[in-house]
Amino acid sequence: MRKTRIVILAAILILLLVGAAICNIFFGAVHIPAADIWHSLTGAGDDVVSFIIRENRIPQCITATLGGAALAATGLLLQTAFRNPLAGPSVLGISSGASLGVAIVMLWISGPIVIGGSEIGGYAAIIGGALAGSLLITLLLTILSMRVRNALMLLIVGMFTGYLTSSLVTLLSSLADARKIQNYVFWGMGSFGGVPMGQLPWFSGLVIVGLILAMLLAKPLNLLLLGDNYATNLGVRVSRVKTQLLLVSGVLTAVVTAYCGPVAFIGLAMPHIARMLTRTDNHLILLPFSMLAGATTALICNLLSVLPGNTVIPLNALTPIIGVPVILYVIKNRS
């Protein structure tokens, strides 16, 4: 009976995901008749329409799907590792570290980065900055997790690290010119439209590899729920699993943040929606459901942000509308 319920819920979520993806392709800031969109998808459409669909809406749809799944998976991994329902990439400072790396590239460094005589600029520099900042915070949390056994203390350290990186970003902003600040502010609002078709294979490849690695950690995570000592007795190398978990979380957060900006609340709220739907702590079920919930929510938020009108709504103006009620519900039930 329970398995049947899980299968039905999975089918419903997949249908919602597919429906949201189709809506993202057929609806956007520019109104295009459905017949013209269909012709462009079959290769017989107008050049302008084909460009909008293939170079804008399809990459945006794929980015939202993978980005939402990655953030939700990261949130679940961190909540399990720190045994705290409010843990997430933004709360622990991992997103802030990625934002600091991007801020250094966008606000401080002028022109391309030169490494070993080779110039690195554009997306590569931003991704490199986000990875460096995210992995720096992840490394700090990893080292502390080996020395500090109290998960709450690690959570507090992550929060204060986030405050520190935010202050450094503010300092960099005060020293940068108006154009650089404007670019960084727009990036910070969040958008799934920042991955062009040429960059999509890189983004997709990195995220998919990260999600596969996250799924490979599902069984050890189930054992970690029983306690570190019990997991150790069952043959789990707890420190190694937590290090792998933090590294996977750091890379996924860095990639999504670099391309899409610091998208809030999806990583924090979606694991709780998955728990409420499945009523289980089994990560072999929770991880796929969290990914599906995150991908569907990201597609819905992206659709709302680009509905026909004169203004594109920032992504981070929409995600709290879904995320905050979920977090308040979790806090209420645990109080």
Side-chain angles (χ1 to χ4, degrees):
M1 184 68 181
R2 186 174 181 179
K3 288 183 178 179
T4 303
R5 180 176 168 275
I6 294 294
V7 171
I8 292 173
L9 284 172
I12 292 172
L13 272 179
I14 291 171
L15 287 174
L16 287 173
L17 176 66
V18 173
I22 292 172
C23 288
N24 269 266
I25 293 173
F26 279 81
F27 298 97
V30 178
H31 173 69
I32 302 174
D36 292 346
I37 293 174
W38 177 253
H39 288 316
S40 70
L41 291 173
T42 57
D46 179 80
D47 289 342
V48 175
V49 174
S50 296
F51 180 83
I52 293 173
I53 301 302
R54 296 185 182 185
E55 299 295 327
N56 182 272
R57 292 189 185 178
I58 290 178
Q60 203 162 336
C61 177
I62 296 172
T63 302
T65 302
L66 292 176
L71 291 172
T74 299
L76 179 60
L77 293 179
L78 294 173
Q79 287 170 15
T80 302
F82 291 96
R83 295 175 193 167
N84 193 304
L86 298 181
S90 56
V91 176
L92 287 168
I94 298 176
S95 293
S96 298
S99 297
L100 176 60
V102 173
I104 291 172
V105 172
M106 295 180 70
L107 300 176
W108 186 31
I109 299 175
S110 299
I113 301 171
V114 179
I115 299 177
S118 301
E119 291 188 351
I120 301 174
Y123 281 104
I126 292 174
I127 293 168
L131 277 170
S134 175
L135 292 177
L136 181 63
I137 302 300
T138 302
L139 179 63
L140 174 63
L141 291 173
T142 303
I143 293 172
L144 288 173
S145 68
M146 297 176 183
R147 298 176 178 270
V148 180
R149 297 299 178 184
N150 191 324
L152 179 60
M153 290 302 297
L154 284 173
L155 186 64
I156 293 172
V157 169
M159 291 176 64
F160 278 100
T161 302
Y163 293 140
L164 176 61
T165 56
S166 296
S167 69
L168 292 174
V169 170
T170 303
L171 177 62
L172 289 171
S173 299
S174 68
L175 301 174
D177 61 53
R179 180 184 58 82
K180 292 179 180 178
I181 294 173
Q182 185 181 43
N183 290 337
Y184 183 76
V185 168
F186 283 146
W187 172 84
M189 291 179 180
S191 171
F192 290 124
V195 185
M197 185 61 79
Q199 291 290 321
L200 192 60
W202 290 101
F203 176 83
S204 302
L206 288 169
V207 171
I208 290 171
V209 169
L211 292 177
I212 292 172
L213 292 174
M215 283 301 304
L216 293 176
L217 291 170
K219 287 186 177 180
L221 286 173
N222 285 339
L223 296 177
L224 285 181
L225 292 175
L226 303 174
D228 290 355
N229 292 333
Y230 196 88
T232 301
N233 291 333
L234 291 175
V236 177
R237 299 175 66 178
V238 174
S239 297
R240 182 178 178 180
V241 169
K242 287 187 175 180
T243 300
Q244 292 171 343
L245 180 152
L246 287 170
L247 287 173
V248 170
S249 300
V251 171
L252 282 175
T253 301
V255 173
V256 176
T257 303
Y259 279 103
C260 309
V263 181
F265 284 102
I266 289 180
L268 190 59
M270 293 307 107
H272 295 296
I273 290 180
R275 289 189 186 95
M276 286 187 278
L277 289 174
T278 60
R279 300 173 191 172
T280 182
D281 289 325
N282 184 354
H283 284 75
L284 291 170
I285 297 173
L286 271 181
L287 263 172
F289 267 81
S290 295
M291 293 176 192
L292 284 172
T296 304
T297 300
L299 283 168
I300 292 171
C301 289
N302 184 69
L303 178 64
L304 293 174
S305 71
V306 296
L307 282 176
N310 296 322
T311 305
V312 176
I313 302 172
L315 197 61
N316 281 331
L318 296 170
T319 51
I321 296 173
I322 297 174
V324 170
V326 174
I327 299 306
L328 291 177
Y329 176 80
V330 171
I331 293 173
K332 174 181 175 296
N333 282 0
R334 287 178 174 264
S335 61

